[in-house]
Amino acid sequence: MTKEKFQSEIFTLKKFYEYYCKDNHTNLTSNNITLEYKDSKFILNITLCEDCKKNIEYSFLKVQECKHEIKPRCRKCPNPCYDKSHWKNTAKIMRYSGIKLGLVSIKRKIKNIFK
Ligand SMILES: [Zn+2]
């Protein structure tokens, strides 16, 4: 995948994980994570609990190792690289935050209309 795609993948993961973690967990800490991809460095400041941090690092690693030139959605991937327990957990987080963030942006749109 391109660097731009890689960047958008990791920022989506960050956004979804942080949203889920903030709503469901306690003892969140802030950390800088540096990821390398195709000679570029990406620095992310992530605020997560210890468990979510481990899980997102696993997800980041999988994105880094993804061999698809045009990355499919993981859900539709012909040869998924996640192990079962990580996959279940990540799918749960993506679903939760996807719904919540979807609702949040719809609300914001409605507000803008009535301004
Ligand atoms: Zn968490």
Side-chain angles (χ1 to χ4, degrees):
M1 73 189 99
T2 61
K3 279 185 236 172
E4 289 73 26
K5 176 70 179 163
F6 178 78
Q7 191 176 26
S8 107
E9 289 286 328
I10 58 174
F11 275 94
T12 302
L13 281 167
K14 165 181 151 63
K15 188 162 121 190
F16 280 50
Y17 262 90
E18 284 183 334
Y19 197 91
Y20 179 85
C21 190
K22 181 165 63 72
D23 267 14
N24 294 284
H25 302 148
T26 50
N27 296 326
L28 280 62
T29 54
S30 190
N31 291 283
N32 277 330
I33 290 186
T34 308
L35 297 170
E36 284 185 48
Y37 190 73
K38 292 191 174 173
D39 307 323
S40 289
K41 272 193 180 169
F42 301 89
I43 299 164
L44 287 97
N45 182 266
I46 57 164
T47 306
L48 293 170
C49 72
E50 206 46 45
D51 280 349
C52 289
K53 188 170 162 274
K54 275 187 207 126
N55 284 324
I56 202 171
E57 279 173 344
Y58 178 87
S59 292
F60 284 155
L61 191 69
K62 292 298 178 187
V63 183
Q64 274 173 306
E65 288 174 349
C66 182
K67 286 185 181 64
H68 298 278
E69 205 40 57
I70 297 168
K71 186 182 167 300
R73 284 176 160 265
C74 290
R75 212 186 313 157
K76 298 202 173 126
C77 188
N79 37 355
C81 55
Y82 275 62
D83 72 40
K84 237 190 185 148
S85 69
H86 278 104
W87 175 245
K88 264 192 165 169
N89 184 59
T90 306
K92 181 182 73 187
I93 290 169
M94 298 314 256
R95 202 162 43 232
Y96 176 93
S97 296
I99 292 166
K100 291 270 182 170
L101 289 165
L103 287 178
V104 168
S105 73
I106 289 165
K107 268 188 202 153
R108 206 176 287 148
K109 268 180 209 149
I110 294 170
K111 252 189 207 160
N112 285 340
I113 293 168
F114 291 109
K115 246 183 198 167

